[in-house]
Amino acid sequence: SIDVNPSSSIYFDRKRDATLLIPFPLVRATVALNITKTSMSCTDPPLFQPLEQRIKPDSLIQIGGSSPRFVVGYWGIRGLGAPLRMMLSAAGVDHWVAMYDALEEGDEGWIQASWDHDKEWTKKECNPFMNLPYLIDCKEQVIMCQTNAIKTYLGRELDMLGSTKLETAKCEELLCELYDLRNGMVRFAYDGKMKSKAKQCLASAKPHFNKLEAYLSTAGTPGCLVGTKLSSPDFHLYEMLDQYNLLTEHYKLEDDMLGPYPKLAAYKKAFEEMPENQVYLNSFLHKELPFNNPYAHFGSDPTTKVYTRGQATPWKQKGIVRVENKKRLADEM
């Protein structure tokens, strides 16, 4: 089972801290079971409705049961949410995926009412830095945001942040490098339309590919950037390789994007074949969500890659969906 690491920067002894935390509603909330009064908040000690029961996303995918260890919240797209969802799935931990939709309003506008609602109360009551993505640690009743902060927190909690202090530092270094790689794609997707801009986007990614190829020539193992097991940066690297590969295919930029990078190509293939990644990679979270929100110029539709106003959006507003966590069930048999 997954448990909280006492050395983590966000850790509380329930008995010791129960009274100390009451004056600090922005730090955390105190857990109470079987409470359904929705008007109570993080600032109403000692009883309140758990954080995971208060959120109101457009879609809530409950993976593994009604008592999740974590909830990850993001837009109803792949984007920055994909590596976090993939990571939780590979770990086999019960979790919920909360997704918020950008919906059409009028002829040109967009509305995100569900996110506006949840952002307002969580920012006021629980975390002044509230943003997407966010992570709820349901055991500790804390909510945190900022992508790399979440990845390192989950890395510690799920034993996916290296096995030594040097491996941990390498994981953190790679997370920063991969975020830079991601930023180039986002700039193109939301700012550019033309094929010439797509070429520039791919060209800006190649220095990162060169560095990663050189790194994999001397470190890592098939499908794993650090050591011999999956770690937090693996999931973001895979997502970005997938996105850049589809960008290349959509705009017909090259015949084989990873041809000049045999180590990266072998890494991607090995990652895709790992048993712990099969549940996520074969799910609608990977296959049926767009990369980006509908106002993006690329990756805004899972099929055509470009959203058309007024089109059908079957990936949105799914309500509550319960999904069996096959990996965990297999581990327990």
Side-chain angles (χ1 to χ4, degrees):
S1 62
I2 303 301
D3 204 353
V4 172
N5 179 359
S7 65
S8 170
S9 61
I10 304 179
Y11 174 78
F12 299 94
D13 182 289
R14 292 179 183 275
K15 293 181 180 179
R16 181 194 68 201
D17 297 334
T19 56
L20 295 176
L21 291 173
I22 288 175
F24 302 102
L26 295 178
V27 177
R28 65 161 282 185
T30 306
V31 177
L33 300 177
N34 301 321
I35 301 300
T36 58
K37 185 179 178 183
T38 57
S39 62
M40 302 184 80
S41 73
C42 300
T43 59
D44 294 318
L47 302 178
F48 78 105
Q49 191 176 27
L51 293 173
E52 64 270 22
Q53 300 294 339
R54 293 188 63 193
I55 58 173
K56 304 296 181 185
D58 295 284
S59 303
L60 186 63
I61 316 303
Q62 298 180 343
I63 302 175
S66 59
S67 300
R69 178 65 175 83
F70 298 103
V71 178
V72 59
Y74 192 60
W75 300 112
I77 60 175
R78 283 169 58 172
L80 289 173
L84 302 174
R85 299 163 187 159
M86 207 182 318
M87 191 175 180
L88 288 166
S89 180
V93 61
D94 289 355
H95 64 284
W96 291 357
V97 174
M99 298 193 293
Y100 299 88
D101 295 327
L103 304 172
E104 294 181 9
E105 184 179 43
D107 294 333
E108 297 181 356
W110 302 96
I111 189 171
Q112 50 196 40
S114 295
W115 169 233
D116 289 342
H117 169 269
D118 279 352
K119 183 177 182 179
E120 181 178 3
W121 72 262
T122 52
K123 185 175 182 179
K124 179 181 178 182
E125 300 173 23
C126 303
N127 190 336
F129 303 112
M130 195 61 189
N131 207 342
L132 292 174
Y134 67 72
L135 179 78
I136 298 175
D137 184 328
C138 302
K139 183 175 181 179
E140 294 303 315
Q141 284 298 291
V142 293
I143 187 167
M144 63 197 75
C145 57
Q146 294 298 338
T147 305
N148 280 350
I150 295 171
K151 288 178 185 174
T152 53
Y153 182 83
L154 282 177
R156 290 190 294 269
E157 298 303 297
L158 303 175
D159 192 24
M160 289 183 171
L161 203 66
S163 300
T164 68
K165 64 181 182 181
L166 292 179
E167 286 188 354
T168 296
K170 183 57 66 176
C171 287
E172 293 168 338
E173 183 180 39
L174 285 162
L175 285 173
C176 295
E177 180 71 25
L178 294 169
Y179 206 90
D180 290 343
L181 176 61
R182 172 259 179 190
N183 285 343
M185 173 64 78
V186 172
R187 281 192 295 270
F188 165 73
Y190 288 92
D191 294 338
K193 298 181 183 179
M194 299 176 291
K195 185 173 181 177
S196 61
K197 294 287 187 180
K199 288 181 179 179
Q200 293 175 17
C201 177
L202 181 59
S204 72
K206 290 192 174 183
H208 298 288
F209 294 163
N210 290 332
K211 287 186 279 186
L212 290 162
E213 180 76 8
Y215 170 77
L216 287 171
S217 297
T218 59
T221 52
C224 302
L225 282 167
V226 179
T228 58
K229 62 182 181 181
L230 287 168
S231 60
S232 184
D234 285 311
F235 304 97
H236 206 171
L237 174 56
Y238 176 79
E239 177 65 18
M240 294 321 303
L241 291 177
D242 203 37
Q243 290 194 24
Y244 275 101
N245 189 57
L246 288 172
L247 172 84
T248 302
E249 292 178 355
H250 179 71
Y251 286 98
K252 297 180 174 58
L253 301 178
E254 295 177 359
D255 292 334
D256 182 7
M257 183 194 77
L258 291 180
Y261 310 101
K263 297 292 185 182
L264 274 175
Y267 168 89
K268 184 174 184 289
K269 184 176 185 294
F271 183 94
E272 291 173 332
E273 294 174 350
M274 285 185 169
E276 53 265 64
N277 292 329
Q278 298 311 301
V279 171
Y280 176 85
L281 293 179
N282 287 291
S283 74
F284 82 94
L285 291 172
H286 180 66
K287 292 185 172 183
E288 299 176 27
L289 291 181
F291 296 145
N292 300 306
N293 266 321
Y295 36 83
H297 302 299
F298 169 73
S300 49
D301 180 88
T303 304
T304 67
K305 302 298 177 284
V306 181
Y307 179 85
T308 301
R309 199 169 185 87
Q311 73 167 67
T313 53
W315 63 90
K316 294 185 178 184
Q317 295 184 300
K318 286 182 172 291
I320 296 176
V321 179
R322 294 178 176 87
V323 179
E324 182 181 85
N325 189 333
K326 293 183 174 63
K327 181 179 187 300
R328 177 165 179 174
L329 291 175
D331 288 345
E332 292 180 349
M333 292 179 64

